[in-house]
Amino acid sequence: MVMHLVAGFASSGARWRAVCSCGYTTTPRVDERRALAALHTEHELSAPVCGLCGHDYTGRSWRQLRDVDLRILASAPAGDQFLACRDLPQSCRDGAAQRQMHLDRAAREGFGLPVPPPRLRVVPGGRR
């Protein structure tokens, strides 16, 4: 699976083309706004949701998504791409761990395997 995010714009004389991260470009338009609108209608962009923690970035500008919020990562075995929070902040890693626990539990229950009780972990350094 290939992820599609707006990569930017390319000038074509006095006109503009919108460019997708996969390399797709629109035909030249009068301005960047129209080129971006054409990219949205002609080419299906990926939903801006982190594949690890599930955080939804809908409503952010394309520039913020590309430069601040998300990055495209590839899984080595299959070569598939997925979106992830940029720089994998602790909240993303915690959300990914939580999702993995739920997936593991669902898989165990689906196969009829016993589910171990949850374990609590004390994290030092908490404030009072």
Side-chain angles (χ1 to χ4, degrees):
M1 172 183 247
V2 176
M3 291 290 112
H4 302 276
L5 289 178
V6 179
F9 297 93
S11 65
S12 179
R15 299 175 153 239
W16 293 94
R17 295 174 184 258
V19 181
C20 177
S21 59
C22 72
Y24 177 86
T25 59
T26 62
T27 57
R29 307 289 182 188
V30 174
D31 58 18
E32 288 183 358
R33 184 181 53 79
R34 287 193 179 172
L36 183 60
L39 184 64
H40 283 284
T41 57
E42 295 173 4
H43 190 68
E44 189 172 337
L45 297 174
S46 301
V49 177
C50 176
L52 298 176
C53 68
H55 189 283
D56 189 349
Y57 290 98
T58 301
R60 307 279 178 104
S61 72
W62 70 268
R63 198 170 299 231
Q64 192 171 12
L65 289 173
R66 185 193 70 185
D67 297 339
V68 178
D69 297 328
L70 293 170
R71 70 185 314 169
I72 297 173
L73 298 178
S75 70
D80 287 343
Q81 294 180 340
F82 63 96
L83 295 174
C85 296
R86 187 170 290 278
D87 300 328
L88 298 174
Q90 187 63 45
S91 60
C92 181
R93 288 180 280 165
D94 291 344
Q98 187 74 14
R99 288 181 75 182
Q100 188 62 52
M101 273 184 15
H102 290 295
L103 289 171
D104 291 348
R105 181 178 210 87
R108 284 191 196 106
E109 289 172 354
F111 287 114
L113 300 172
V115 179
R119 295 179 299 178
L120 296 177
R121 182 177 66 159
V122 177
V123 179
R127 294 187 179 178
R128 296 179 194 189

